Amino acid sequence: MSQELLAEEAKVNLRTIQRIENNESEPRGKTLNLICDALKVNVEDIVEYGKKTDQTFLVVLHLSVLSFLVIPLGNILIPLILWVNKKDKIIGLKEAGANLLNFQIFWCIVTYCLFIGYAFLKIMHISGFTILIYSAMFLVLINIILSVLFAIISRKKMSKNLYPTIVKLIK
């Protein structure tokens, strides 16, 4: 892309683009956002103010999901606490954590609805819906497998979006 085209698409002065390219100046907030929008790049991918890579923390984040086996809603609460404390300090954690939390929220809603539905039908002495409890247990198993699998993948390489994005509540 030419400097002229970039300046036009970013709605900034051509001289500003030239100064940035020649390292005569650094783009500030709004200018940087406009240039990144024009280039269709995320600002975080370019600017890493004090951020570091930490594969071990990503592994811990993925494995923290398993806390749901001991703590109700632990698969949301523990990763949320970890994510909020470090999302601006570790490269890729903001997206990976948001992706993980969105999946876990959706997973909780579906799984708990199946458990509650089964319990309600059992209390009402309505039979024939054991598929609900088997489906819920299958989802529990899937969540355990995905957590361990994604922890292993995160250990080997940096990957932001491992969990399937079904509902995007956290950005």
Side-chain angles (χ1 to χ4, degrees), residues 37-90:
D37 287 345
L39 294 172
K40 295 175 180 59
V41 215
N42 189 350
V43 175
E44 266 190 19
D45 294 339
I46 298 172
V47 182
E48 299 169 0
Y49 295 113
K51 286 187 175 186
K52 60 180 181 173
T53 57
D54 190 349
Q55 303 303 111
T56 305
F57 190 84
L58 288 171
V59 171
V60 169
L61 180 73
H62 287 293
L63 292 178
S64 71
V65 167
L66 298 176
S67 62
F68 82 92
L69 296 169
V70 180
I71 304 166
L73 296 176
N75 61 319
I76 296 172
L77 297 175
I78 305 299
L80 179 64
I81 291 167
L82 294 172
W83 180 66
V84 167
N85 287 324
K86 298 278 188 169
K87 70 179 178 179
D88 296 324
K89 297 175 182 146
I90 298 173

Coordinates of all heavy atoms in Angstrom, one line a residue, residues 37-90:
D37 N -6.9 0.8 11.8 CA -8.2 0.5 11.2 C -8.0 0.4 9.6 O -8.6 -0.5 9.0 CB -9.2 1.6 11.5 CG -9.6 1.4 13.0 OD1 -9.4 0.4 13.6 OD2 -10.2 2.4 13.5
A38 N -7.2 1.3 9.1 CA -7.0 1.3 7.6 C -6.3 0.1 7.2 O -6.6 -0.5 6.1 CB -6.3 2.6 7.2
L39 N -5.4 -0.4 8.0 CA -4.6 -1.6 7.6 C -5.3 -2.9 8.1 O -4.8 -4.0 7.8 CB -3.2 -1.5 8.3 CG -2.3 -0.4 7.8 CD1 -1.0 -0.3 8.6 CD2 -1.9 -0.6 6.3
K40 N -6.4 -2.7 8.8 CA -7.2 -3.9 9.3 C -6.3 -4.7 10.2 O -6.2 -6.0 10.0 CB -7.8 -4.7 8.2 CG -8.8 -3.9 7.4 CD -9.3 -4.7 6.2 CE -10.3 -4.0 5.4 NZ -10.0 -2.7 4.8
V41 N -5.6 -4.1 11.1 CA -4.8 -4.7 12.1 C -5.2 -4.3 13.5 O -5.7 -3.2 13.7 CB -3.3 -4.3 12.0 CG1 -2.4 -5.5 12.3 CG2 -2.9 -3.7 10.7
N42 N -5.0 -5.2 14.5 CA -5.3 -4.9 15.8 C -4.2 -4.1 16.5 O -3.0 -4.5 16.3 CB -5.6 -6.2 16.6 CG -6.1 -5.9 18.0 OD1 -6.2 -4.8 18.5 ND2 -6.5 -7.0 18.6
V43 N -4.5 -3.0 17.1 CA -3.4 -2.2 17.7 C -2.6 -3.0 18.7 O -1.3 -2.9 18.7 CB -4.0 -1.0 18.5 CG1 -3.0 -0.2 19.3 CG2 -4.8 -0.1 17.6
E44 N -3.2 -3.9 19.4 CA -2.5 -4.8 20.4 C -1.4 -5.6 19.7 O -0.4 -6.0 20.3 CB -3.4 -5.7 21.2 CG -3.8 -5.1 22.4 CD -4.6 -6.1 23.3 OE1 -4.5 -7.3 23.1 OE2 -5.3 -5.6 24.2
D45 N -1.7 -6.0 18.5 CA -0.7 -6.9 17.8 C 0.6 -6.1 17.4 O 1.6 -6.7 17.2 CB -1.3 -7.4 16.5 CG -2.5 -8.4 16.8 OD1 -2.5 -8.9 17.9 OD2 -3.3 -8.6 15.9
I46 N 0.5 -4.8 17.3 CA 1.6 -3.9 17.0 C 2.3 -3.4 18.2 O 3.5 -3.4 18.3 CB 1.1 -2.8 16.1 CG1 0.5 -3.3 14.8 CG2 2.3 -1.8 15.8 CD1 -0.1 -2.2 14.0
V47 N 1.5 -2.9 19.1 CA 2.1 -2.2 20.3 C 2.0 -3.2 21.5 O 1.0 -3.7 21.8 CB 1.2 -1.0 20.6 CG1 1.8 -0.3 21.8 CG2 1.2 -0.1 19.4
E48 N 3.2 -3.4 22.1 CA 3.3 -4.3 23.2 C 3.9 -3.6 24.4 O 5.0 -4.0 24.9 CB 4.1 -5.6 22.8 CG 3.4 -6.3 21.7 CD 4.4 -7.4 21.1 OE1 5.5 -7.5 21.6 OE2 4.0 -8.1 20.2
Y49 N 3.3 -2.5 24.8 CA 3.9 -1.7 25.9 C 4.1 -2.6 27.2 O 3.2 -2.8 28.0 CB 3.0 -0.6 26.3 CG 2.8 0.4 25.2 CD1 1.5 0.6 24.6 CD2 3.8 1.2 24.8 CE1 1.4 1.5 23.6 CE2 3.7 2.2 23.8 CZ 2.4 2.3 23.2 OH 2.2 3.2 22.2
G50 N 5.3 -3.1 27.3 CA 5.7 -3.9 28.5 C 5.1 -5.3 28.6 O 5.2 -6.0 29.6
K51 N 4.4 -5.7 27.5 CA 3.8 -7.0 27.5 C 4.9 -8.1 27.2 O 5.9 -7.8 26.6 CB 2.7 -7.1 26.4 CG 1.5 -6.4 26.8 CD 0.4 -6.7 25.8 CE -0.9 -6.1 26.1 NZ -2.0 -6.6 25.2
K52 N 4.6 -9.3 27.7 CA 5.6 -10.4 27.5 C 4.8 -11.6 27.1 O 3.6 -11.7 27.3 CB 6.4 -10.6 28.8 CG 5.5 -11.0 30.0 CD 6.4 -11.3 31.2 CE 5.4 -11.7 32.3 NZ 6.1 -12.1 33.5
T53 N 5.5 -12.6 26.6 CA 4.8 -13.8 26.3 C 5.0 -14.7 27.5 O 6.1 -14.7 28.1 CB 5.5 -14.5 25.0 OG1 6.9 -14.7 25.3 CG2 5.3 -13.7 23.8
D54 N 4.0 -15.5 27.8 CA 4.0 -16.3 29.0 C 3.1 -17.5 28.7 O 1.9 -17.6 29.0 CB 3.6 -15.6 30.2 CG 3.8 -16.4 31.5 OD1 4.1 -17.6 31.4 OD2 3.7 -15.8 32.6
Q55 N 3.7 -18.5 28.0 CA 3.0 -19.7 27.7 C 2.5 -20.5 28.9 O 1.4 -21.1 28.9 CB 3.8 -20.7 26.9 CG 4.4 -20.1 25.6 CD 3.3 -19.6 24.7 OE1 3.2 -18.4 24.5 NE2 2.6 -20.4 24.1
T56 N 3.3 -20.4 30.0 CA 2.9 -21.1 31.2 C 1.6 -20.6 31.8 O 0.7 -21.3 32.3 CB 4.0 -21.0 32.3 OG1 5.2 -21.5 31.7 CG2 3.7 -21.8 33.5
F57 N 1.5 -19.3 31.8 CA 0.2 -18.6 32.3 C -1.0 -19.0 31.4 O -2.0 -19.3 32.0 CB 0.4 -17.1 32.4 CG -0.8 -16.5 33.1 CD1 -0.7 -16.4 34.5 CD2 -1.9 -16.0 32.4 CE1 -1.8 -15.8 35.2 CE2 -2.9 -15.4 33.1 CZ -2.9 -15.4 34.5
L58 N -0.8 -19.1 30.1 CA -1.9 -19.6 29.3 C -2.3 -21.0 29.6 O -3.5 -21.3 29.6 CB -1.5 -19.4 27.8 CG -1.4 -18.0 27.3 CD1 -0.8 -18.0 25.9 CD2 -2.7 -17.4 27.3
V59 N -1.3 -21.8 29.9 CA -1.6 -23.2 30.3 C -2.4 -23.2 31.6 O -3.4 -23.9 31.7 CB -0.3 -24.1 30.4 CG1 -0.6 -25.4 31.1 CG2 0.4 -24.2 29.1
V60 N -2.0 -22.4 32.6 CA -2.7 -22.3 33.8 C -4.1 -21.8 33.6 O -5.1 -22.3 34.2 CB -1.9 -21.4 34.8 CG1 -2.7 -21.1 36.0 CG2 -0.6 -22.1 35.2
L61 N -4.3 -20.8 32.7 CA -5.6 -20.3 32.4 C -6.5 -21.4 31.9 O -7.6 -21.5 32.4 CB -5.5 -19.2 31.4 CG -6.8 -18.5 31.0 CD1 -7.3 -17.7 32.2 CD2 -6.7 -17.7 29.8
H62 N -6.0 -22.2 31.0 CA -6.9 -23.3 30.4 C -7.2 -24.3 31.4 O -8.3 -24.8 31.5 CB -6.2 -23.9 29.2 CG -6.2 -23.0 28.0 ND1 -7.4 -22.6 27.3 CD2 -5.2 -22.3 27.3 CE1 -7.1 -21.8 26.3 NE2 -5.8 -21.6 26.3
L63 N -6.2 -24.7 32.2 CA -6.4 -25.7 33.3 C -7.3 -25.2 34.4 O -7.9 -26.0 35.1 CB -5.1 -26.2 33.8 CG -4.2 -27.0 32.8 CD1 -2.9 -27.5 33.4 CD2 -5.0 -28.3 32.3
S64 N -7.3 -23.9 34.6 CA -8.2 -23.4 35.7 C -9.6 -23.6 35.4 O -10.4 -23.6 36.4 CB -7.9 -21.9 35.9 OG -8.4 -21.1 34.8
V65 N -10.0 -23.9 34.2 CA -11.4 -24.3 33.9 C -11.8 -25.5 34.6 O -13.0 -25.7 35.0 CB -11.5 -24.5 32.4 CG1 -12.8 -25.1 32.0 CG2 -11.4 -23.2 31.6
L66 N -10.9 -26.4 34.9 CA -11.2 -27.7 35.6 C -11.6 -27.4 37.0 O -12.1 -28.4 37.7 CB -10.0 -28.6 35.6 CG -9.5 -29.0 34.2 CD1 -8.3 -29.9 34.3 CD2 -10.6 -29.7 33.4
S67 N -11.5 -26.2 37.5 CA -12.0 -25.9 38.9 C -13.5 -26.1 39.0 O -14.0 -26.2 40.1 CB -11.6 -24.5 39.3 OG -12.2 -23.6 38.5
F68 N -14.2 -26.2 37.9 CA -15.7 -26.5 38.0 C -16.0 -27.8 38.6 O -17.1 -28.1 39.1 CB -16.3 -26.3 36.6 CG -16.2 -27.5 35.7 CD1 -17.2 -28.5 35.7 CD2 -15.1 -27.7 34.9 CE1 -17.1 -29.6 34.9 CE2 -15.0 -28.8 34.0 CZ -16.0 -29.8 34.0
L69 N -15.0 -28.7 38.6 CA -15.2 -30.0 39.2 C -15.3 -29.9 40.7 O -15.8 -30.8 41.3 CB -14.0 -31.0 38.8 CG -13.9 -31.3 37.3 CD1 -12.6 -32.0 37.0 CD2 -15.1 -32.1 36.8
V70 N -14.8 -28.9 41.3 CA -14.7 -28.7 42.7 C -15.6 -27.5 43.2 O -16.3 -27.6 44.2 CB -13.3 -28.5 43.2 CG1 -13.2 -28.3 44.7 CG2 -12.4 -29.6 42.8
I71 N -15.6 -26.4 42.4 CA -16.3 -25.2 42.7 C -17.4 -24.9 41.7 O -17.1 -24.8 40.5 CB -15.3 -24.0 42.7 CG1 -14.2 -24.2 43.7 CG2 -16.1 -22.7 43.1 CD1 -13.0 -23.3 43.5
P72 N -18.6 -24.8 42.1 CA -19.7 -24.5 41.1 C -19.3 -23.1 40.4 O -19.0 -22.2 41.2 CB -21.0 -24.4 41.9 CG -20.7 -25.2 43.1 CD -19.2 -25.1 43.4
L73 N -19.4 -23.1 39.2 CA -19.0 -21.9 38.4 C -17.6 -21.5 38.5 O -17.2 -20.4 38.0 CB -19.9 -20.7 38.7 CG -21.4 -20.8 38.5 CD1 -22.1 -19.6 39.0 CD2 -21.7 -21.0 37.0
G74 N -16.8 -22.4 39.0 CA -15.3 -22.2 39.0 C -14.7 -22.1 37.7 O -13.7 -21.4 37.5
N75 N -15.3 -22.7 36.7 CA -14.8 -22.6 35.3 C -14.9 -21.2 34.7 O -14.3 -20.9 33.7 CB -15.5 -23.6 34.4 CG -16.9 -23.4 34.3 OD1 -17.6 -23.1 35.3 ND2 -17.5 -23.6 33.1
I76 N -15.7 -20.4 35.4 CA -15.8 -19.0 34.9 C -15.1 -18.1 35.9 O -14.3 -17.2 35.5 CB -17.3 -18.5 34.8 CG1 -18.0 -19.4 33.8 CG2 -17.4 -17.1 34.6 CD1 -19.5 -19.2 33.7
L77 N -15.3 -18.3 37.2 CA -14.8 -17.4 38.2 C -13.2 -17.4 38.3 O -12.6 -16.3 38.3 CB -15.3 -17.7 39.6 CG -16.8 -17.6 39.7 CD1 -17.3 -18.0 41.1 CD2 -17.2 -16.1 39.5
I78 N -12.6 -18.6 38.3 CA -11.2 -18.7 38.4 C -10.5 -18.1 37.2 O -9.6 -17.2 37.3 CB -10.7 -20.1 38.8 CG1 -11.4 -20.6 40.0 CG2 -9.2 -20.2 38.9 CD1 -11.1 -19.9 41.3
P79 N -10.9 -18.6 36.0 CA -10.3 -18.0 34.8 C -10.5 -16.4 34.7 O -9.6 -15.7 34.2 CB -10.9 -18.7 33.6 CG -11.4 -20.0 34.2 CD -11.8 -19.7 35.6
L80 N -11.7 -16.0 35.1 CA -12.0 -14.6 35.1 C -11.0 -13.8 36.0 O -10.5 -12.7 35.6 CB -13.4 -14.3 35.5 CG -13.9 -12.8 35.5 CD1 -13.8 -12.2 34.1 CD2 -15.3 -12.7 36.1
I81 N -10.8 -14.3 37.2 CA -9.8 -13.6 38.1 C -8.4 -13.6 37.5 O -7.8 -12.5 37.5 CB -9.8 -14.3 39.4 CG1 -11.2 -14.1 40.1 CG2 -8.7 -13.8 40.3 CD1 -11.4 -15.0 41.4
L82 N -8.0 -14.7 36.9 CA -6.7 -14.8 36.3 C -6.6 -13.8 35.1 O -5.6 -13.1 34.9 CB -6.4 -16.2 35.8 CG -6.2 -17.2 36.9 CD1 -6.1 -18.6 36.3 CD2 -5.0 -16.9 37.8
W83 N -7.6 -13.8 34.3 CA -7.7 -13.0 33.1 C -7.6 -11.5 33.4 O -6.9 -10.7 32.8 CB -8.9 -13.4 32.3 CG -9.1 -12.6 31.0 CD1 -8.3 -12.7 29.9 CD2 -10.1 -11.7 30.7 NE1 -8.8 -11.9 28.9 CE2 -9.9 -11.3 29.3 CE3 -11.2 -11.2 31.4 CZ2 -10.7 -10.4 28.7 CZ3 -12.0 -10.3 30.7 CH2 -11.8 -9.9 29.4
V84 N -8.5 -11.1 34.3 CA -8.6 -9.7 34.7 C -7.2 -9.2 35.2 O -6.8 -8.0 34.9 CB -9.7 -9.4 35.7 CG1 -9.6 -8.0 36.3 CG2 -11.1 -9.6 35.0
N85 N -6.5 -10.0 36.0 CA -5.3 -9.5 36.6 C -4.1 -9.5 35.6 O -3.2 -8.7 35.8 CB -4.9 -10.5 37.7 CG -5.7 -10.2 39.0 OD1 -6.1 -9.1 39.2 ND2 -6.1 -11.3 39.7
K86 N -4.1 -10.2 34.5 CA -3.0 -10.3 33.6 C -3.3 -10.0 32.2 O -2.3 -10.0 31.4 CB -2.4 -11.7 33.7 CG -1.9 -12.1 35.0 CD -0.5 -11.6 35.3 CE 0.1 -12.2 36.5 NZ 1.5 -11.9 36.7
K87 N -4.5 -9.7 31.8 CA -4.8 -9.5 30.4 C -4.0 -8.4 29.7 O -3.8 -8.5 28.5 CB -6.3 -9.3 30.2 CG -6.8 -8.0 30.7 CD -8.3 -7.9 30.4 CE -8.8 -6.6 30.9 NZ -10.2 -6.4 30.7
D88 N -3.6 -7.4 30.4 CA -2.9 -6.3 29.8 C -1.4 -6.5 29.9 O -0.6 -5.6 29.5 CB -3.3 -5.0 30.4 CG -4.7 -4.7 30.1 OD1 -5.2 -5.0 29.0 OD2 -5.4 -4.1 31.0
K89 N -0.9 -7.6 30.5 CA 0.5 -7.8 30.7 C 1.1 -9.0 29.9 O 2.3 -9.1 29.8 CB 0.7 -8.1 32.2 CG 0.4 -6.9 33.1 CD 0.5 -7.3 34.5 CE 0.0 -6.1 35.3 NZ -0.6 -6.4 36.6
I90 N 0.2 -9.8 29.3 CA 0.7 -10.9 28.6 C 0.1 -10.9 27.1 O -1.1 -10.7 27.0 CB 0.3 -12.3 29.2 CG1 0.9 -12.3 30.6 CG2 0.7 -13.5 28.4 CD1 0.5 -13.5 31.5

